[in-house]
Amino acid sequence: MDTNIEQNVEQKEDEISLLDLFAVLIRYRKLVIFGTLIITVLAGLYLFAGPMVFKKLNGQTAQVSYTVQVNAVPLSIASKLPNAETITPLYLATYYSQRLPFLVRQIKAHNIFSDNEMTDYEFNTFVQSLIRNKKLQIIEPKLGNEYEIQISVKMNRISDATALVRSMVAETEKQLQDYYYPLIQTLLSNTTTALEKASNSTTSDVQELQSLNVDLQTFTNNFQGFLNLHQEPFVIPEARGRVKKLIIIFLASFFVFVFAAFCKNAVANIKADPDSSKLISDAWNAGK
């Protein structure tokens, strides 16, 4: 019998507690409702109308992909170069493009990611974070002779991103030429010398040298570069997530104003109770 009475008392206390909480929300419903609506409306104006009025607030970004075609060295020539099986123009191009000193130098000259002043150490760390967060990626091909440079940048800076990529490709082209040009010139010189001394060689050896010499002459005369950047980048606008942000702001402001309602109710209860007011006053004075 006593157990049933205790359970009934606990149930009534729980119901009274829930009713008290609900009563607080009802009492301060205007604060919760209108406060939440005002914050949500202001946030909506900022997120949706702000970018149309103030261009600086237009923070939409896009993933911009640039395709770089790599021209291979003819097989007849490449087979005579050192480490030809592993070191190819495509390998060197992607290798040079991913080196941190190279990227730091290029981004410093065409900084499309930040306008803040940074020390050299801070800038190096900043570029590393861009790579780690995939704001700048060099995507190597699984097949074919093309690789991609992907950049995540604000929509209004796509032209600046294109200037950065062109500079990267031009510098990589220079690196490739500095590597291959001396090797090919040396091979051409050696082949020419060998042909001059080939009077005692077999006919097949002479024909092979002549064929290689023709390929070298043709390649050097018609050579226009190892890299070709496709003219138009592929642009994919990234979602702004404005609706998601607005929902988060709505929920956050709702809970803040609910908390403010309970705080306001607690202050009102303390003021209405002389003992509670005296207790708070004494605690305040003791803390001075």
Side-chain angles (χ1 to χ4, degrees), residues 67-74 77-78 81 87-94 96 145-147 169-185 219-220 222-230:
T67 301
V68 184
Q69 180 181 343
V70 183
N71 300 317
V73 177
I77 300 174
L81 300 178
I87 300 179
T88 64
L90 180 60
Y91 167 81
L92 288 176
T94 54
Y96 287 136
N145 62 340
E146 296 178 340
Y147 68 95
V169 172
E171 179 66 21
T172 304
E173 173 70 32
K174 183 178 182 300
Q175 296 281 357
L176 289 172
Q177 291 189 25
D178 289 343
Y179 175 82
Y180 275 105
Y181 192 76
L183 294 177
I184 292 175
Q185 288 298 317
F219 179 77
T220 54
N222 298 330
F223 178 76
Q224 295 182 348
F226 289 101
L227 304 179
N228 294 320
L229 176 63
H230 290 199

Side-chain angles (χ1 to χ4, degrees), residues 202-222:
T202 63
T203 304
S204 60
D205 291 337
V206 173
Q207 289 178 345
E208 183 179 350
L209 287 171
Q210 288 176 339
S211 177
L212 177 60
N213 186 265
V214 170
D215 290 342
L216 286 166
Q217 293 284 356
T218 302
F219 179 77
T220 54
N221 291 336
N222 298 330

Side-chain angles (χ1 to χ4, degrees), residues 20 99 116 133 139 221 226 255-257 282:
D20 288 340
R99 295 179 65 244
N116 299 330
N133 296 326
I139 300 178
N221 291 336
F226 289 101
F255 286 114
V256 166
F257 282 107
D282 293 341

Side-chain angles (χ1 to χ4, degrees), residues 17 36 78 88 98 132 139 144-145 152 162 182 194 196 207 210 214 240 243 261 263 265:
S17 178
T36 302
T88 64
Q98 294 180 82
R132 185 169 56 254
I139 300 178
N145 62 340
S152 181
T162 301
E196 293 173 352
Q207 289 178 345
Q210 288 176 339
V214 170
R240 300 183 185 182
V243 174
C263 290
N265 183 71

Side-chain angles (χ1 to χ4, degrees), residues 72-197:
V73 177
L75 183 60
S76 59
I77 300 174
S79 62
K80 306 297 181 181
L81 300 178
N83 302 315
E85 294 183 358
T86 56
I87 300 179
T88 64
L90 180 60
Y91 167 81
L92 288 176
T94 54
Y95 169 75
Y96 287 136
S97 299
Q98 294 180 82
R99 295 179 65 244
L100 184 61
F102 170 81
L103 292 174
V104 168
R105 186 168 62 252
Q106 290 295 323
I107 295 174
K108 187 174 289 187
H110 305 272
N111 191 356
I112 60 175
F113 300 100
S114 175
D115 296 325
N116 299 330
E117 294 290 335
M118 289 180 273
T119 63
D120 290 341
Y121 174 78
E122 290 172 338
F123 195 82
N124 292 347
T125 305
F126 173 69
V127 173
Q128 286 179 314
S129 70
L130 291 175
I131 299 170
R132 185 169 56 254
N133 296 326
K134 297 183 178 181
K135 299 293 184 182
L136 174 62
Q137 301 180 78
I138 308 298
I139 300 178
E140 301 181 24
K142 295 181 180 179
L143 295 172
N145 62 340
E146 296 178 340
Y147 68 95
E148 287 189 0
I149 301 175
Q150 286 191 357
I151 299 178
S152 181
V153 68
K154 291 184 178 180
M155 291 286 289
N156 59 354
R157 304 209 70 173
I158 291 179
S159 59
D160 297 328
T162 301
L164 167 63
V165 171
R166 286 175 178 168
S167 177
M168 291 174 61
V169 172
E171 179 66 21
T172 304
E173 173 70 32
K174 183 178 182 300
Q175 296 281 357
L176 289 172
Q177 291 189 25
D178 289 343
Y179 175 82
Y180 275 105
Y181 192 76
L183 294 177
I184 292 175
Q185 288 298 317
T186 300
L187 181 60
L188 178 60
S189 177
N190 292 340
T191 303
T192 303
T193 303
L195 276 173
E196 293 173 352
K197 299 179 180 180

Side-chain angles (χ1 to χ4, degrees), residues 8-24:
N8 291 333
V9 170
E10 290 178 359
Q11 184 177 357
K12 290 181 179 179
E13 287 178 351
D14 291 339
E15 290 177 355
I16 292 172
S17 178
L18 291 174
L19 286 173
D20 288 340
L21 295 176
F22 189 66
V24 172

